[in-house]
Amino acid sequence: MEQRKRYLFTNQDLMRLIAPLIVEQILAVTVGMADTMMVSSAGEAATSGVSLVDMINNLIINVFAAVSTGGAVVASQYLGHEDREKARESANQLILITGVIAVGIMVVSIVFRRGLLGTLYQGVEEDVMRNALIYLVLSALSYPFLAVYNSCAALFRSMGNSEVSMQVSMVMNVINVTGNALLIFVFKWGVAGAALASLAARMIACVILFVRLGSRKLTICIGPGILSWNGEMIRRILHIGIPGGVENSIFQLGRILVVSIIATFGTTQIAANAVANNLDGMGVLAGQAMNLAMITVIGRCVGAGDFEQADYYVKKMMKLTYLVNAVCCGLVLATLPLTLRLYGLSRETLKLAAVLVLIHDGIGIILWPASFTLPNVLRAAGDVKFPMVVSISSMIVFRIGLSYVIGVGMGLGAVGVWTAMIVDWIARVLCFAGRYKSGKWKNLAVL
């Protein structure tokens, strides 16, 4: 009982928050993996086309995630401040603003699809471009549903309830995999089938979470005022969301530019990069879950004005992040020979993919948590500009700049590009660790 009085989150509270998040992250990644694996039966041009558009999709998804994070930080701080009415108002405004942003991005992506893909991926083979165009249009139709889904899930996490979004994610994955099997293998629709299956899955998941978030029994819920514009509340959400969105967008844009470099190395390296991105992502799933949990926990502590607890939970959760990240990366590396067999690609492609995964997950055990989980401590406290500046600068100088030097100039291809990524991680770790130790983040709360 004393433990519950002293701490905002008991060990049981943390497990109830984190465990479903890990499962949800695994399920989220399997959607992309299912698309890539199943569409690989249509050939390397189809696989490459999907992978190129997925880089754009990841950029856009990260914009939605950043705005959702802004809403989650504001809602969490209001809950820590014990102001439920303001927390509920922030929920309404979060859904409204993410919906508006998503519809705008959807329209732009469809109208300017040819110019967008042509600019980013010059010199790509015609078959690859044709598949990419199909996949982009159908993916864009799902953006509004995906944005609202992400916002609803973020609000459930703010309440410490991540089980609901995990359950809905399970439903989404079943629909996606079933749809892939039917549309790709039975109807032979290739990339169109993969995109349509994902569209249906995201639509249904969005509707389920939106309806469930309308329950007045919840600590945070949405209500009739969801269409009423509250400029001050939206400003607070975007105060967190815009820097995060800019950071994530530039980060993903940098990844796209890096892939555009890899695209010049030929279809084999494009496909290997796509496979490696799928597999190495599995290694950091637990870390991604900890990123989300950190927002909820530290945001609540900051809202309560208790920075002693904030420091306590940062240390505790970072230790846990390193542990689970090491286990997950180790499992990916140990099962690599088996998982590579699931892809119907050439031996040369799979061999290169294995090397890339070894680079990412081998070094990720040491560097990834401090590079990506620790900055969420700063964001949860409202210190969003520093992570933005560091991430953008490091991306431009190291991940992109060194990719040209090592990948192109030194002729190491995709291996050189991924080596530059590791240097980027090192720079991020040094900056974020220094910022946390300085304590400046404690003076920038949103409320």
Side-chain angles (χ1 to χ4, degrees):
M1 181 63 70
E2 181 64 24
Q3 179 82 351
R4 289 184 179 275
K5 289 181 179 179
R6 181 179 179 186
Y7 294 116
L8 291 173
F9 295 86
T10 65
N11 290 335
Q12 291 75 17
D13 293 332
L14 292 177
M15 288 306 298
R16 281 195 295 269
L17 174 64
I18 294 169
L21 284 175
I22 293 176
V23 175
E24 184 179 352
Q25 290 301 304
I26 293 174
L27 294 172
V29 170
T30 57
V31 172
M33 290 188 68
D35 283 351
T36 303
M37 288 181 179
M38 291 182 169
V39 84
S40 67
S41 64
E44 294 197 356
T47 304
S48 298
V50 170
S51 72
L52 295 181
V53 174
D54 273 343
M55 297 300 294
I56 298 174
N57 286 342
N58 287 336
L59 185 156
I60 293 169
I61 288 170
N62 274 275
V63 172
F64 301 153
V67 178
S68 297
T69 296
V73 168
V74 173
S76 294
Q77 290 193 17
Y78 273 126
L79 287 182
H81 203 60
E82 298 184 354
D83 191 340
R84 291 190 177 185
E85 288 304 313
K86 288 291 186 179
R88 290 181 174 183
E89 177 65 16
S90 69
N92 281 336
Q93 296 303 301
L94 176 61
I95 300 297
L96 175 61
I97 192 63
T98 50
V100 170
I101 292 172
V103 170
I105 293 176
M106 176 192 71
V107 172
V108 171
S109 298
I110 294 176
V111 172
F112 299 103
R113 60 189 181 279
R114 290 187 179 277
L116 176 63
L117 291 176
T119 300
L120 292 174
Y121 303 120
Q122 296 180 19
V124 171
E125 297 173 9
E126 183 59 33
D127 285 348
V128 174
M129 181 60 70
R130 183 172 61 253
N131 282 289
L133 285 167
I134 294 171
Y135 197 70
L136 176 59
V137 171
L138 295 175
S139 294
L141 294 175
S142 73
Y143 292 162
F145 301 102
L146 188 58
V148 173
Y149 167 84
N150 282 342
S151 295
C152 292
L155 292 169
F156 274 109
R157 289 194 296 269
S158 296
M159 293 181 275
N161 184 355
S162 56
E163 185 176 354
V164 171
S165 57
M166 178 195 72
Q167 294 169 347
V168 176
S169 184
M170 289 181 178
V171 173
M172 182 164 60
N173 274 258
V174 169
I175 295 171
N176 185 72
V177 173
T178 303
N180 279 337
L182 178 64
L183 300 178
I184 295 175
F185 297 139
V186 177
F187 288 95
K188 308 295 183 181
W189 286 359
V191 295
L196 286 171
S198 296
L199 172 60
R202 289 167 177 173
M203 288 176 63
I204 294 173
C206 171
V207 171
I208 293 174
L209 271 190
F210 186 82
V211 171
R212 295 197 64 169
L213 196 60
S215 173
R216 302 298 294 179
K217 297 179 181 179
L218 298 175
T219 305
I220 299 177
C221 63
I222 54 176
I226 195 170
L227 296 179
S228 299
W229 188 272
N230 183 329
E232 176 60 23
M233 187 65 72
I234 289 178
R235 184 195 66 78
R236 291 185 174 184
I237 292 172
L238 295 183
H239 171 75
I240 304 294
I242 288 179
V246 171
E247 175 188 341
N248 289 342
S249 297
I250 298 298
F251 183 81
Q252 291 301 324
L253 180 58
R255 293 188 66 190
I256 292 174
L257 293 176
V258 167
V259 170
S260 70
I261 297 173
I262 294 176
T264 65
F265 302 146
T267 301
T268 295
Q269 297 218 18
I270 296 175
N273 187 71
V275 172
N277 277 328
N278 282 161
L279 296 180
D280 65 41
M282 297 297 292
V284 297
L285 285 179
Q288 297 282 8
M290 295 302 298
N291 290 353
L292 299 173
M294 193 72 83
I295 291 291
T296 297
V297 174
I298 303 305
R300 192 82 63 85
C301 293
V302 171
D306 194 335
F307 291 99
E308 182 179 351
Q309 285 203 54
D311 282 323
Y312 168 78
Y313 284 117
V314 169
K315 294 174 183 177
K316 184 171 187 173
M317 295 179 71
M318 284 301 296
K319 290 177 182 178
L320 181 57
T321 303
Y322 268 101
L323 175 62
V324 296
N325 190 66
V327 171
C328 290
C329 287
L331 286 174
V332 170
L333 296 176
T335 58
L336 193 56
L338 176 62
T339 52
L340 286 176
R341 295 178 185 175
L342 299 175
Y343 293 87
L345 303 174
S346 67
R347 174 177 291 186
E348 180 184 2
T349 298
L350 296 180
K351 183 178 179 180
L352 177 58
V355 173
L356 300 181
V357 174
L358 286 170
I359 293 173
H360 184 284
D361 283 3
I363 300 177
I365 293 174
I366 301 172
L367 297 178
W368 197 94
S371 181
F372 293 97
T373 304
L374 186 58
N376 266 16
V377 174
L378 310 181
R379 298 183 185 104
D383 186 7
V384 290
K385 292 182 180 179
F386 183 83
M388 177 186 71
V389 172
V390 169
S391 296
I392 294 175
S393 300
S394 184
M395 165 64 71
I396 294 173
V397 175
F398 298 112
R399 188 165 295 202
I400 298 176
L402 278 184
S403 289
Y404 278 103
V405 173
I406 303 176
V408 179
M410 298 176 63
L412 293 181
V415 173
V417 170
W418 285 52
T419 301
M421 172 190 68
I422 300 304
V423 178
D424 170 49
W425 288 2
I426 294 172
R428 289 169 59 94
V429 169
L430 293 175
C431 293
F432 294 140
R435 182 69 168 189
Y436 171 72
K437 290 182 179 180
S438 74
K440 293 180 180 179
W441 54 278
K442 296 180 180 180
N443 302 317
L444 297 169
V446 177
L447 304 187

